[in-house]
Amino acid sequence: MTNIRTAAGRRRAMLLSIAAVLSLAGAGALYGLLYARSLDYGERCQHGLVSGGGRLLETGASWLPPDAWCRFEDRSLSTTPFWALLLFYVLLTAIVWSVTALVRVLRPRPDPGLDWQPGHSAPRW
């Protein structure tokens, strides 16, 4: 029985490791793509290359997720679409879940057993 549990644990750990690495690679690639799109967006807005309607009020950028925006009198424009933000946060959540599950597989908590109750010690025969 021990070999079966050990093999299943190793298989589960390998699958969780693969899921964590793939999620991390996907989040990193998406981050790089979004970062590259937002590099000079503020400058393009200030030089009038982006038309937004009205006078330019402000430009800004954030690093997580990488985004740049321009606020005009009539509307605001951003480099990052909603689906990309959603995908980015889903990938970050998958990374956290995979790493947490991997840690629990590699370092399991001791099983107290069925007859264990909080506040009671084991009977002494």
Side-chain angles (χ1 to χ4, degrees):
M1 272 316 230
T2 310
N3 292 337
I4 293 173
R5 288 183 186 166
T6 305
R10 273 191 248 132
R11 191 175 321 122
R12 185 176 293 130
M14 180 60 73
L15 290 174
L16 288 171
S17 300
I18 290 171
V21 168
L22 289 177
S23 299
L24 185 61
L30 185 61
Y31 186 89
L33 177 72
L34 295 176
Y35 183 76
R37 283 185 61 171
S38 68
L39 279 177
D40 62 343
Y41 193 70
E43 287 184 29
R44 287 190 287 155
C45 287
Q46 290 175 353
H47 293 300
L49 299 174
V50 176
S51 61
R55 187 172 55 93
L56 177 66
L57 300 176
E58 72 171 329
T59 62
S62 66
W63 65 276
L64 188 64
D67 186 22
W69 63 87
C70 299
R71 288 198 178 98
F72 294 94
E73 288 178 338
D74 295 337
R75 65 179 178 166
S76 295
L77 299 174
S78 175
T79 60
T80 306
F82 178 73
W83 64 266
L85 291 175
L86 187 65
L87 180 62
F88 183 73
Y89 284 119
V90 164
L91 288 170
L92 286 181
T93 303
I95 292 168
V96 170
W97 284 353
S98 299
V99 169
T100 303
L102 182 62
V103 168
R104 289 193 65 186
V105 165
L106 295 177
R107 294 182 179 218
R109 295 184 197 155
D111 187 16
L114 295 176
D115 58 350
W116 180 81
Q117 295 178 0
H120 298 288
S121 61
R124 297 183 184 165
W125 301 99

